[in-house]
Amino acid sequence: MKHSFTSIVLFCLTFLLFQSDSIAQEIKSEPVKPVIKFNPFDGVIVAGYVDNGAFVNFTGPSVSLTIKNSKILLGMLPSLRYKEDHGIFKNSPITPNLGCGLTYCYKKIAVQVPLYYNAKTATANGRWNIGIGVGMRLK
């Protein structure tokens, strides 16, 4: 039993050594330069959940950081929010809204953490709401 355990450990260490050498060669052969730029529209569509309702947005003006297949966006989010009103006097279930937030894209998949502001009303104070969304990148 002890002999087989030692053999497995040696095999794993050897494998990791060769693997780290191949990763180091890949890093040396292709230097990665991050690109930061401003985009008026980045082609990302996201749907998600915020404040007991849903939203659909298209990333608007943003600052992006691109590294290989990954892209991080920080910007404005023009959106349509869907929320059912349970009060006596009901508001429209679909409302336009502008949010801001962070979007991470890997190849064609996007994950977003948006922030939306609900204004003060007669019954509630104004506050920021954080959400989560998943979508796709068109470009």
Side-chain angles (χ1 to χ4, degrees), residues 2 15 17-18 28 31-32 41 43 45 50-51 54 64 66 69 71 74-75 79-80 85 90 99 107 122 126 129 137:
K2 190 173 188 178
F15 179 75
L17 180 66
F18 284 117
K28 289 178 186 175
V32 178
F41 175 69
I45 300 172
V50 66
D51 189 32
S64 66
T66 305
N69 293 329
K71 190 172 213 176
L74 178 64
S79 311
L80 286 176
D85 192 359
K90 298 191 184 286
K107 293 185 180 180
N129 296 299
R137 187 171 158 205

Side-chain angles (χ1 to χ4, degrees), residues 68-135:
K68 285 192 177 185
N69 293 329
S70 297
K71 190 172 213 176
I72 299 172
L73 307 162
L74 178 64
M76 305 307 287
L77 308 170
S79 311
L80 286 176
R81 288 184 57 191
Y82 305 92
K83 185 176 178 184
E84 187 177 342
D85 192 359
H86 296 290
I88 297 170
F89 302 104
K90 298 191 184 286
N91 290 321
S92 173
I94 301 172
T95 56
N97 205 319
L98 180 64
C100 62
L102 189 67
T103 306
Y104 173 75
C105 301
Y106 180 74
K107 293 185 180 180
K108 296 289 183 183
I109 299 170
V111 177
Q112 187 178 78
V113 179
L115 291 167
Y116 291 103
Y117 185 74
N118 286 351
K120 179 181 173 185
T121 63
T123 59
N125 289 328
R127 65 180 202 159
W128 286 93
N129 296 299
I130 190 168
I132 186 79
V134 177

